[in-house]
Amino acid sequence: MTSNALSTLQLNKAVSRRFNEDVKNRHDLSVIDELLSPQFVNRSPIPGFADTREGVKGFFALMFAAFPDFSCRIAESIAEDDKVVEYFANEGTHRGEFFGIAATGRRVRFEGMHIFALRDGRITEHWNVLDQWA
């Protein structure tokens, strides 16, 4: 592997790590415009939200209102070509309405995997699978 290819893989992993840290853990929605390309497409769209970066912002705004202590822990991160694949666990306490479900006060945890495609240091596409039984 060339040093240029290695530096691209490292950059891609750093961008993914920053998305998880700044957006998911620090709840900083302003970072989304910086990290997601204007042409971003969510290939695993969430019902009721656009498959664009605006949809991502809307979804996380809802998530953080419903789960104010929401956090994400990345267990594995693998980069190859223009993709980063991560296995993660999300958790938080259900304190506000979420998709019509009133707050329960219960702690929830769910695991999943996602794939980010990146170009020039920005996320261009996203796919994910969630295990909501975890």
Side-chain angles (χ1 to χ4, degrees):
M1 180 175 297
T2 67
S3 63
N4 189 35
L6 187 57
S7 63
T8 298
L9 295 177
Q10 291 169 332
L11 171 64
N12 289 348
K13 284 179 87 169
V15 170
S16 183
R17 190 169 34 255
R18 184 161 178 231
F19 183 89
N20 288 297
E21 284 302 314
D22 289 352
V23 176
K24 291 182 175 180
N25 291 334
R26 291 188 184 97
H27 303 187
D28 185 352
L29 299 177
S30 69
V31 175
I32 290 172
D33 285 334
E34 180 183 343
L35 299 180
L36 274 60
S37 163
Q39 294 78 31
F40 169 83
V41 177
N42 187 358
R43 302 292 183 190
S44 302
I46 299 153
F49 292 91
D51 63 356
T52 64
R53 67 183 184 181
E54 290 305 314
V56 171
K57 281 192 263 187
F59 171 73
F60 278 110
L62 174 70
M63 178 69 79
F64 301 149
F67 300 89
D69 60 345
F70 181 88
S71 66
C72 176
R73 182 184 55 79
I74 302 297
E76 293 289 336
S77 182
I78 301 165
E80 186 172 326
D81 297 327
D82 66 341
K83 308 261 186 334
V84 176
V85 178
E86 293 176 319
Y87 179 72
F88 59 84
N90 293 327
E91 57 186 306
T93 308
H94 189 195
R95 301 275 183 216
E97 184 177 313
F98 189 65
F99 286 107
I101 301 170
T104 64
R106 291 186 176 156
R107 188 99 177 131
V108 299
R109 181 178 187 279
F110 57 96
E111 297 177 358
M113 293 182 71
H114 66 208
I115 302 170
F116 286 141
L118 297 98
R119 185 177 319 119
D120 300 324
R122 296 185 90 180
I123 300 167
T124 58
E125 295 177 273
H126 167 263
W127 299 260
N128 77 331
V129 177
L130 300 176
D131 179 1
Q132 296 165 333
W133 297 103

